[in-house]
Amino acid sequence: MNPVTQPTEPPAAATALRACADLAETAVCLARLAGTAAQADFCGVFLLDYTGTELLLRAVWHAGAGASAPHGHSLPLGSQDPVCFSLQTGTEYTVRDGIPNAAFPSLDLLRPHKAAARLTALPLPAWKNRSLGGLLLGFGRDRAPAIDPQPLCDLGALLLEAHLQRQKEDLLLHSLNEDLSRLEQGSQCLRIVESFFLGKSPATLRVREQIARAAPTDVAVLITGETGTGKEVAASALHAASRRRAAPFIKINCAALPAHLLESELFGHRKGAFSGADSDNPGLLRSAHGGTVLLDEIGEMPSELQAKLLRVLQDRQVRPLGSSKTFPADIRIIAATNKSMREVLESGSFRSDLYHRLAGLHIHIPPLRERPEDIPLLAQHFLIQMRDTLRRPGLSLTSESLRLLGGLDYPGNVRQLCNRIQAAAVMAGPAAGRLTPEAFSPVESPAAEEEDLRSGGLARNLRLLEEKLIKRALARCSGNVAEAARELHLPRSTLVSKLKKLAPPHNTEASRPQRRQLSRSGAPYGYYV
């Protein structure tokens, strides 16, 4: 007898089925064993899908051709088919006498363009009188199966159900792991954002949550808010909590350069593209490839550049000035403005299509007057930065000072609060260990200043004037000593020396040279050398 069609003994068949590793292998083995045992011409295994509305063809066996696991073939559960009848009744169902393919979808799936003399469908019983599907045997001539395949179907159904249950458990475990991963990622993002964007008010917590949710994505973000509220800090937090954190973070002030220079800085240029282009310049957008670009004061961008930026955002390609070649630009765009974009759009000075490209997500930073609960925390944070800069670890704020700071107006928002802390710390006497409310006294009137100048000598007035100029330069530069030195036309080392003289350390240990440490939160607020 042909070994392919030789009946398989039940013990050997059971062993072969139990040795199968997964659902697909079990279905193929069952089709082969049942078809061989029944001496059928072909055999198919159908299983219900997860919705319970379709039967999926999981395995096909043909005598002499072997078994396979097809994909994408199914038949509706309600169709007039032997497999459906057997599944619904839970009993064997047989059809005889020259069956055309068009009559039964299962026959057309198993033996296309070729009729069968006999079809026998058997249910695949599952737990609690349910059915997993059915097994269909086809014969070229009208004869009964050589061996009853129902015991094999019963055993195969049990094993198939076990594999289906394992698949469900694996899918559930995978889904739980994905949820845990998302939660961990969200928690990590929130921790990073908290280290940048300080505060405990409901408005600040809402902004932090928005940043943490937006950070892992590549959605373009538009940040709005008054001057000094911390838009750049929010952009830094978005970058630091994103998957692009290791790539460049480039900040571009759209209002700082004329249109022709801004175009060259943004998109780059080839050598000789215009007068003064002595070498190739890749441009800031290409330099930020893989990273993040902050377009600050986006409302000030010249209209002639808006169309070109829109093309970059659509195509993710940059073409430098004077070049016919384009370069890829995998960048995330964050835009910031202190203007009302609605008014800018209504005036016609900003393209609406570019606005919708930039405002994939809108984050509004509320002014400090709407989150007064944040003032003490921010004040302490800025003071810690000043301790590191001035090397005065004992410097602190009294409770009266914190109450005073909480009651003041801040039209300049967080930046103005930072400047007040900086000015009080710099101007405090060398013996001052705590900043009292007197350190934050309002600036004297011009008449009082004039009287003070008359009563002092030249040396004292020069020193006071120098202190005032340094203080104003630091305030304008948000505490950046390097920028303040450039503004005062001084070497940076000279300005650092003057700052030390203005606020010398109060003990020997603090006066030793130390490496400047990051503030507790690591946030890029305020004063830094």
Side-chain angles (χ1 to χ4, degrees):
M1 184 179 291
N2 190 331
V4 175
T5 59
Q6 183 177 0
T8 306
E9 295 297 326
T15 302
L17 280 171
R18 291 193 183 98
C20 296
D22 55 27
L23 180 70
E25 187 178 346
T26 303
V28 168
C29 184
L30 177 61
R32 175 175 56 81
L33 292 174
T36 303
Q39 294 186 355
D41 291 325
F42 57 90
C43 179
V45 174
F46 294 83
L47 297 180
L48 282 170
D49 69 343
Y50 72 96
T51 65
T53 59
E54 284 190 326
L55 284 165
L56 304 178
L57 180 58
R58 292 285 189 172
V60 176
W61 172 85
H62 287 88
S68 61
H71 295 284
H73 300 290
S74 64
L75 57 96
L77 185 59
S79 61
Q80 303 295 314
D81 194 271
V83 181
C84 296
F85 291 140
S86 175
L87 184 146
Q88 291 167 355
T89 61
T91 59
E92 178 181 329
Y93 189 87
T94 300
V95 182
R96 301 184 182 87
D97 299 332
I99 305 153
N101 286 55
F104 302 116
S106 59
L107 175 59
D108 195 46
L109 289 176
L110 296 177
R111 206 181 195 192
H113 313 301
K114 194 171 182 181
R118 178 188 179 107
L119 292 176
T120 298
L122 298 99
L124 294 173
W127 183 251
K128 293 185 177 179
N129 296 324
R130 293 184 300 106
S131 181
L132 295 177
L135 182 141
L136 185 67
L137 296 168
F139 300 88
R141 59 183 186 276
D142 188 3
R143 57 184 175 83
I147 296 177
D148 183 11
Q150 189 61 57
L152 275 176
C153 290
D154 295 342
L155 176 60
L158 290 174
L159 295 173
L160 288 170
E161 187 174 26
H163 287 303
L164 283 170
Q165 187 62 33
R166 185 182 302 172
Q167 273 190 355
K168 291 178 182 177
E169 292 172 355
D170 290 343
L171 288 173
L172 178 61
L173 182 60
H174 179 68
S175 176
L176 289 174
N177 287 333
E178 285 188 338
D179 290 342
L180 284 174
S181 177
R182 282 193 293 268
L183 287 173
E184 290 175 359
Q185 185 183 34
S187 178
Q188 181 184 7
C189 288
L190 192 57
R191 286 195 299 270
I192 293 174
V193 173
E194 285 175 353
S195 70
F196 278 80
F197 207 81
L198 304 179
K200 60 181 181 180
S201 66
T204 298
L205 295 179
R206 184 170 58 253
V207 170
R208 278 212 299 255
E209 184 178 355
Q210 289 177 330
I211 295 174
R213 289 178 180 272
T217 71
D218 278 341
V219 175
V221 178
L222 175 65
I223 303 174
T224 60
E226 296 178 8
T227 299
T229 51
K231 297 186 293 296
E232 187 173 324
V233 174
S236 299
L238 276 167
H239 174 73
S242 73
R243 62 180 179 83
R244 299 174 179 265
R245 64 178 67 92
F249 177 42
I250 293 182
K251 306 170 188 177
I252 304 169
N253 191 325
C254 299
L257 294 172
H260 63 284
L261 291 180
L262 181 60
E263 182 177 13
S264 174
E265 287 296 312
L266 278 176
F267 308 108
H269 61 256
R270 291 292 305 274
K271 180 179 179 180
F274 52 85
S275 178
D278 300 327
S279 60
D280 289 346
N281 176 16
L284 295 176
L285 295 180
R286 281 177 59 196
S287 300
H289 185 72
T292 307
V293 172
L294 169 62
L295 298 175
D296 201 7
E297 303 299 340
I298 188 64
E300 303 289 345
M301 175 172 279
S303 56
E304 57 266 29
L305 296 187
Q306 294 176 23
K308 194 166 184 179
L309 177 61
L310 178 63
R311 177 58 58 188
V312 171
L313 297 181
Q314 289 174 341
D315 300 341
R316 298 293 172 180
Q317 299 280 334
V318 176
R319 187 173 69 178
L321 294 175
S323 174
S324 58
K325 184 179 179 181
T326 59
F327 299 88
D330 175 23
I331 53 176
R332 182 188 191 175
I333 296 292
I334 301 174
T337 181
N338 59 5
K339 289 189 171 185
S340 168
M341 291 304 294
R342 177 180 296 179
E343 294 178 1
V344 175
L345 289 169
E346 289 176 352
S347 68
S349 60
F350 201 87
R351 295 176 62 107
S352 60
D353 49 0
L354 177 58
Y355 167 77
H356 293 301
R357 279 279 181 179
L358 295 173
L361 178 67
H362 180 202
I363 297 178
H364 178 71
I365 311 296
L368 195 55
R369 62 180 175 274
E370 295 180 9
R371 42 189 176 117
E373 306 96 320
D374 297 343
I375 292 176
L377 184 61
L378 291 169
Q380 293 286 8
H381 171 74
F382 296 139
L383 187 67
I384 290 170
Q385 289 187 331
M386 293 304 296
R387 285 179 193 166
D388 297 337
T389 302
L390 300 177
R391 300 191 180 99
R392 296 176 61 184
L395 200 60
S396 64
L397 287 164
T398 65
S399 57
E400 294 80 6
S401 296
L402 288 174
R403 282 196 294 271
L404 172 67
L405 289 171
L408 296 176
D409 293 328
Y410 296 94
N413 294 293
V414 178
R415 185 178 295 128
Q416 184 176 1
L417 173 61
C418 175
N419 292 342
R420 279 179 173 165
I421 299 294
Q422 291 172 1
V426 170
M427 302 307 295
R434 308 181 74 188
L435 297 181
T436 61
E438 288 73 21
F440 301 95
S441 59
V443 179
E444 295 181 343
S445 64
E449 288 186 3
E450 183 67 25
E451 181 63 28
D452 191 47
L453 286 174
R454 291 197 190 100
S455 62
L458 177 62
R460 178 176 178 273
N461 287 331
L462 287 175
R463 180 174 60 83
L464 291 175
L465 180 60
E466 182 181 61
E467 289 178 358
K468 185 179 294 186
L469 291 174
I470 290 175
K471 174 183 172 182
R472 290 177 178 175
L474 286 171
R476 283 193 297 272
C477 298
S478 299
N480 189 316
V481 175
E483 289 186 12
R486 285 194 293 271
E487 183 173 314
L488 293 169
H489 302 287
L490 290 175
R492 180 179 172 279
S493 57
T494 302
L495 182 56
V496 171
S497 176
K498 289 182 179 293
L499 285 173
K500 291 177 182 178
K501 291 178 182 179
L502 292 175
H506 67 280
N507 58 51
T508 306
E509 183 66 26
S511 64
R512 294 177 183 172
Q514 299 177 12
R515 177 182 295 177
R516 181 180 178 273
Q517 298 179 353
L518 292 174
S519 60
R520 290 179 188 172
S521 70
Y525 274 110
Y527 189 92
Y528 51 97
V529 178

